[in-house]
């Protein structure tokens, strides 16, 4: 005998049988919009960037080689204050996707090297007359959330037009089941 619970069935022996939920792409589109930063998330002084020559977006697939069946994706506007810039993106994948493969890839040394290479190339495109001196990678401590929380930090030292500067590039991935 099975008893119905919220979004699942439980038999009388305690084994759980999961019932597939209906997926609402429209609801996912609404949800994903709430996951990216908007103007109201920033204190005074932060402004949206309207420059169409913004950095090229390197998607999860470009960086890892792992593809997913997404029900919703959203990129935020870029925001800046002085020499600081922030943007966010979010995606919702269809249930059944193997997020364990993602976590293994994001924690691998190969991914760290690939992230460094993509960041170097991005800087070359953005600063054609500049030179990247170093791009050391370090893990970034991130508060635990959902199935995994993984962070990377690249501290880039570069020179352009006779000036040296450091740029911090933080990337954080969070995964939580439906």
């Amino acid at each position: 005998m099975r008893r119905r619970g919220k979004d699942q069935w439980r038999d009388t022996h305690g084994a759980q049988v999961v019932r597939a939920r209906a997926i609402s792409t429209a609801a996912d589109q609404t949800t994903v919009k709430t996951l990216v930063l908007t103007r109201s998330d920033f204190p005074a002084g932060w402004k949206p960037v309207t420059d169409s020559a913004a950095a090229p977006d390197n998607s999860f697939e470009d960086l890892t080689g792992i593809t997913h069946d997404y029900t919703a994706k959203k990129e935020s506007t870029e925001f800046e204050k002085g020499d600081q810039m922030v943007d966010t993106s979010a995606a919702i994948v269809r249930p059944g996707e193997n997020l364990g493969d993602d976590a293994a890839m994001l924690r691998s040394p190969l991914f760290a090297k690939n992230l460094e290479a993509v960041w170097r190339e991005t800087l070359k495109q953005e600063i054609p007359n500049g030179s990247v001196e170093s791009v050391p990678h370090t893990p970034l401590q991130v508060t635990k959330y959902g199935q995994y929380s993984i962070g990377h930090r690249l501290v880039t030292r570069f020179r352009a037009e006779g000036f040296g500067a450091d740029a911090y590039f933080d990337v954080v991935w969070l995964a939580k089941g439906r």
Side-chain angles (χ1 to χ4, degrees):
M1 177 174 175
R2 293 185 178 168
R3 294 188 183 151
R4 185 173 181 213
K6 185 178 180 204
D7 297 319
Q8 61 190 7
W9 294 87
R10 186 173 300 281
D11 71 14
T12 55
H13 301 290
Q16 188 173 328
V17 180
V18 177
R19 179 180 69 175
R21 290 183 183 174
I23 301 302
S24 169
T25 302
D28 287 352
Q29 292 290 341
T30 300
T31 298
V32 81
K33 289 176 186 175
T34 68
L35 299 175
V36 297
L37 295 172
T38 64
R39 174 65 188 98
S40 63
D41 294 317
F42 292 92
W46 284 86
K47 298 177 183 163
V49 176
T50 56
D51 181 10
S52 62
D57 177 44
N58 296 299
S59 71
F60 181 79
E61 290 84 1
D62 294 338
L63 294 170
T64 65
I66 297 174
T67 59
H68 285 294
D69 184 10
Y70 295 105
T71 58
K73 287 175 88 171
K74 175 78 175 150
E75 299 284 330
S76 75
T77 300
E78 291 180 352
F79 297 92
E80 66 180 19
K81 179 180 178 183
D83 61 356
Q84 301 173 68
M85 186 181 72
V86 174
D87 71 355
T88 55
S89 63
I92 298 176
V93 297
R94 195 167 299 283
E97 296 284 323
N98 186 355
L99 299 180
D101 288 347
D102 297 359
M105 173 59 82
L106 293 170
R107 289 185 175 109
S108 75
L110 177 62
F111 176 75
K113 285 185 177 204
N114 194 14
L115 186 61
E116 289 173 21
V118 167
W119 182 235
R120 280 181 182 273
E121 186 59 35
T122 298
L123 287 173
K124 283 182 188 176
Q125 291 174 18
E126 287 189 15
I127 311 167
N129 297 325
S131 64
V132 177
E133 296 177 358
S134 65
V135 185
H137 167 268
T138 58
L140 182 65
Q141 293 300 314
V142 182
T143 302
K144 176 88 171 104
Y145 176 82
Q147 290 172 269
Y148 65 77
S149 304
I150 301 170
H152 294 274
R153 171 169 280 171
L154 301 175
V155 182
T156 309
R157 175 147 294 199
F158 65 94
R159 297 194 68 71
E161 300 179 12
F163 295 96
D166 290 337
Y168 292 81
F169 179 58
D170 292 346
V171 183
V172 175
W173 283 271
L174 307 172
K176 182 176 184 296
R178 288 182 179 260

